[in-house]
Amino acid sequence: MGNVQIRDYLNTHQQLVQALEDLTEEQLKWKAGPASWSVTEVLAHLADHSIVVSFRIRDILAGTEVQLPVFNQDAWVSGQYANSGNAADSLELFRSLLHYNSLLLGRLNPEDWEKSGINFKGETVRITDIVRLFTAHVQTHLGQIERIKQSSNAASYIQ
């Protein structure tokens, strides 16, 4: 593992930047319904997820024997009033954590990449899995952002 995985991991920031190009503040905050997330809320979730993943990686490297932490993403987003926040702030935290974590990941040897912990489902997950799954998770949310943009455009067209 290593360089390719780190490159893909780091590239998620640029993919998000491209997905947000030309979006107005109104479009960033638009929600299809009360239970749906806005683009701003998706970004807050990705920043939160970055915090949790950062902790999980460090906990595994420290030799933890306890279950890795899980978080209630919907409660985190609503509890911090994420849609009242600024999308750029979440994106900057996301970028900063990607960069900082990539420096750590770049120092790991092949054995470190194979170190593991137990997730909330009771499954063994290696650091390589965590990084790969995080990158895939961002891809899922990039698709969500695209759907929000299309719905927002359709809603503004109808009005």
Side-chain angles (χ1 to χ4, degrees):
M1 288 301 121
N3 291 338
V4 171
Q5 204 169 11
I6 294 171
R7 185 199 66 220
D8 291 347
Y9 173 77
L10 281 170
N11 190 44
T12 57
H13 175 260
Q14 187 55 40
Q15 291 172 307
L16 286 167
V17 168
Q18 289 172 343
L20 303 179
E21 280 180 349
D22 303 324
L23 288 182
T24 65
E25 191 64 24
E26 183 178 317
Q27 290 170 311
L28 289 168
K29 304 268 186 198
W30 183 86
K31 295 170 66 119
S36 300
W37 281 358
S38 68
V39 172
T40 297
E41 289 170 321
V42 170
L43 293 173
H45 162 69
L46 289 173
D48 291 342
H49 194 214
S50 296
I51 292 167
V52 172
V53 164
S54 298
F55 181 86
R56 289 174 182 161
I57 290 169
R58 284 157 180 82
D59 216 26
I60 288 171
L61 290 171
T64 187
E65 295 184 16
V66 299
Q67 181 178 309
L68 297 170
V70 65
F71 70 112
N72 182 335
Q73 63 184 25
D74 293 315
W76 279 38
V77 166
S78 65
Q80 64 185 299
Y81 307 100
N83 210 36
S84 297
N86 186 313
D89 292 336
S90 294
L91 192 59
E92 177 55 22
L93 174 59
F94 182 86
R95 186 204 61 74
S96 295
L97 285 170
L98 281 181
H99 173 72
Y100 191 67
N101 287 335
S102 73
L103 297 173
L104 166 60
L105 296 171
R107 294 190 297 265
L108 300 183
N109 62 48
E111 294 80 31
D112 291 328
W113 280 91
E114 296 303 315
K115 288 182 178 178
S116 63
I118 305 298
N119 70 12
F120 69 97
K121 297 176 187 172
E123 302 163 337
T124 299
V125 290
R126 301 168 301 157
I127 289 179
T128 189
D129 300 324
I130 290 172
V131 174
R132 179 181 45 79
L133 290 169
F134 178 86
T135 302
H137 185 77
V138 174
Q139 300 310 308
T140 298
H141 285 296
L142 282 163
Q144 181 184 17
I145 289 170
E146 248 345 279
R147 290 187 300 279
I148 293 168
K149 286 165 49 175
Q150 290 171 4
S151 296
S152 170
N153 290 339
S156 65
Y157 180 76
I158 292 171
Q159 295 174 1

